[in-house]
Amino acid sequence: MRPIGIFDSGIGGLTVARAIANRLPNVPLIYFGDTAHLPYGDKSPELIRHYASHISLHLKEMRCQAIVVACNSASSNALEAIHETAGEDVAVIDVVQPVVQDVSRRFGGRRVGVIGTRATIESEGYQRQLSKSGCDVIALATPLLASAIEEGFHEGLVSEALLQAYLGQGTFDAVNALILGCTHYPLVADQIAALLPASVEIINSAELVADAVAQVVDLESNRTDTLDPTATMPLRQFLVSDLTVSFAQSAQRFFGEEVQLEESGLWEF
Ligand code: DGL
């Protein structure tokens, strides 16, 4: 049974992996967090493309039937390169398209906000695609947020102060929807909502991406009666390119259950 490969710069993409695991509990997942190179959000598009292509090739070589780009920075800057690497027999699902489709359908012609890393916002991917449905897009880079959340600051004073500094000016008070354009941000979604008027709908990509994945994967592979009891492959594998205690602790917060991280030898040091 061919697994689904999911990757992010670090462990934020586990919010997307969680939604996919809930939606397709019997399909094997391989998660790859490029912890040796995070944050991607401050890297150049060329470097993000280099990392993303290399990881995609690795997942393809692990026989993945689909590659989920659970990182907005990579989705916004490296999608073409990932498709080229994946080739025709491996589906590619990114985190931007499903959100753009949903928001365009429901908020076309209205005012929409998006926050994300510098790499995501400066690529202008969301802005370009949403403007096709007449959305008036207000975009803001919030570069310190992902690192703070990754460090465990996602429900107290630190994230509150950061969010106040980024959102407290009223920039998004008049939008109809605010897109969380970074897979780390669902962990502070409640704090974000508390800072904005109740009329602003907060858009979290995880469920939308899980729906998109369910449409392209081989649904036969989600049937329990086809599970091979002699299979040696674990149902879920969590690989990181640099394993530290802090990553191991944060991984559980992002995935919502105990996660056994393994170091992958992908990069030569
Ligand atoms: N999770 C990444 C994203 O969605 C952001 C973290 C990073 O900057 O590496 O863009």
Side-chain angles (χ1 to χ4, degrees):
M1 188 189 307
R2 291 174 71 193
I4 298 174
I6 305 170
F7 79 91
D8 178 38
S9 58
I11 47 188
L14 284 170
T15 55
V16 176
R18 175 75 270 164
I20 297 172
N22 289 346
R23 188 86 164 70
L24 301 164
N26 304 311
V27 181
L29 301 182
I30 299 177
Y31 182 87
F32 185 95
D34 194 8
T35 48
H37 296 129
L38 72 86
Y40 278 9
D42 297 332
K43 305 278 190 301
S44 66
E46 293 74 22
L47 196 54
I48 296 173
R49 279 196 279 278
H50 173 71
Y51 293 148
S53 306
H54 210 69
I55 296 165
S56 302
L57 183 61
H58 186 54
L59 292 173
K60 183 182 162 89
E61 285 169 355
M62 292 176 91
R63 296 188 57 256
C64 288
Q65 56 170 310
I67 294 176
V68 181
V69 189
C71 172
N72 285 265
S73 308
S75 298
S76 307
N77 288 281
L79 201 55
E80 223 177 282
I82 296 167
H83 271 287
E84 263 171 43
T85 308
E88 281 180 4
D89 64 326
V90 181
V92 174
I93 301 99
D94 71 294
V95 281
V96 174
Q97 294 308 319
V99 171
V100 165
Q101 274 167 21
D102 177 67
V103 170
S104 299
R105 188 175 51 79
R106 296 193 298 125
F107 296 94
R110 297 162 78 190
R111 191 170 291 169
V112 172
V114 56
I115 54 174
T117 66
R118 276 201 192 95
T120 297
I121 300 301
E122 287 174 7
S123 76
E124 298 196 342
Y126 274 109
Q127 297 93 309
R128 231 181 1 257
Q129 296 185 61
L130 287 168
S131 66
K132 288 182 194 158
S133 61
C135 288
D136 178 11
V137 184
I138 302 174
L140 180 73
T142 49
L144 289 177
L145 259 187
S147 315
I149 296 168
E150 186 115 6
E151 270 299 317
F153 294 112
H154 59 86
E155 48 194 6
L157 293 176
V158 175
S159 48
E160 209 170 292
L162 277 176
L163 288 168
Q164 184 65 42
Y166 286 133
L167 310 179
Q169 276 48 268
T171 312
F172 297 108
D173 284 2
V175 299
N176 297 102
L178 177 68
I179 298 169
L180 305 184
C182 171
T183 50
H184 283 69
Y185 298 175
L187 271 75
V188 290
D190 290 347
Q191 283 187 318
I192 292 174
L195 276 172
L196 297 175
S199 54
V200 180
E201 182 173 328
I202 308 290
I203 313 280
N204 171 1
S205 62
E207 298 300 331
L208 296 168
V209 174
D211 288 345
V213 173
Q215 280 168 32
V216 299
V217 299
D218 169 16
L219 286 179
E220 281 293 297
S221 57
N222 191 41
R223 281 174 40 188
T224 39
D225 56 352
T226 60
L227 285 179
D228 175 1
T230 61
T232 48
M233 199 185 141
L235 184 61
R236 290 172 196 157
Q237 244 182 309
F238 298 91
L239 308 174
V240 287
S241 49
D242 186 31
L243 180 55
T244 66
V245 174
S246 131
F247 286 137
Q249 285 166 348
S250 330
Q252 313 204 0
R253 276 198 308 275
F254 281 84
F255 195 64
E257 69 181 69
E258 197 169 341
V259 162
Q260 222 36 270
L261 294 186
E262 294 167 51
E263 187 155 314
S264 125
L266 178 59
W267 308 104
E268 296 286 332
F269 293 107

